[in-house]
Amino acid sequence: MSEMRELYQEMILDHHRHPRNFGKLAGANRHAEGYNPLCGDHVTVYALVEGDVIRDLSFEGTGCAICMASCSLMTDALKGRTIAEAEALFGRFHDLVTDDNATADEEVLGKLAVFEGVREFPVRVKCATLPWHALRAALQRTVDQSVSTE
């Protein structure tokens, strides 16, 4: 089990050091900011949505390793999915990091399963879920949105 935990930690650190989909998305038609005052995480999520499909996603901002890795892995996982699929995956991800009885179903969550250990550190749950809340706000409206974990 400790080998698996080390692998998970390495993946989180890799996505923190080398985030995927980082930067403002040209052509984005939706975006929202997220702020976590407890940790200082501040992210903006950009989406290009056509119909009900998320064609492209990116983010920019600063934050702790968990928040930045969550942004990076989230954007990878949701490109090309429908808004309904994104909502469902958000629900599974949220359960993973908050519910002691949830299991990391890698078939559904893919690489997002690396966040399973976050629930052991309740203060870090907000770090992991902040990008998801920002994306959700962006997808629910076409105007600028802002969310906070206060």
Side-chain angles (χ1 to χ4, degrees):
M1 186 65 166
S2 65
E3 286 179 31
M4 187 62 77
R5 180 168 272 166
E6 275 184 46
L7 177 65
Y8 284 179
Q9 288 173 347
E10 264 312 303
M11 185 181 295
I12 288 172
L13 289 175
D14 178 55
H15 277 266
H16 172 248
R17 291 181 189 128
H18 310 286
R20 284 55 157 190
N21 309 304
F22 187 84
K24 189 171 184 175
L25 179 63
N29 54 10
R30 305 198 189 174
H31 74 277
E33 281 187 63
Y35 178 60
N36 176 358
L38 294 174
C39 193
D41 303 323
H42 188 214
V43 299
T44 302
V45 176
Y46 301 94
L48 173 59
V49 178
E50 295 175 350
D52 70 338
V53 177
I54 302 167
R55 294 287 175 208
D56 206 357
L57 273 176
S58 74
F59 74 98
E60 57 185 2
T62 59
C64 69
I66 291 171
C67 182
M68 293 294 100
S70 184
C71 286
S72 180
L73 287 158
M74 176 193 74
T75 57
D76 266 353
L78 295 179
K79 281 185 185 182
R81 293 194 187 221
T82 66
I83 292 172
E85 289 171 327
E87 281 287 334
L89 193 57
F90 171 75
R92 295 297 294 266
F93 181 80
H94 192 268
D95 288 348
L96 176 74
V97 298
T98 60
D99 184 350
D100 288 335
N101 297 315
T103 57
D105 184 347
E106 290 188 38
E107 195 171 309
V108 173
L109 292 166
K111 292 179 181 179
L112 294 167
V114 302
F115 291 97
E116 183 176 29
V118 168
R119 71 174 154 233
E120 295 174 30
F121 307 96
V123 73
R124 293 300 190 190
V125 168
K126 291 181 179 188
C127 302
T129 60
L130 179 66
W132 294 83
H133 287 291
L135 176 65
R136 187 183 231 183
L139 295 177
Q140 289 176 350
R141 295 176 185 83
T142 58
V143 296
D144 296 345
Q145 295 294 309
S146 182
V147 296
S148 175
T149 60
E150 293 183 293

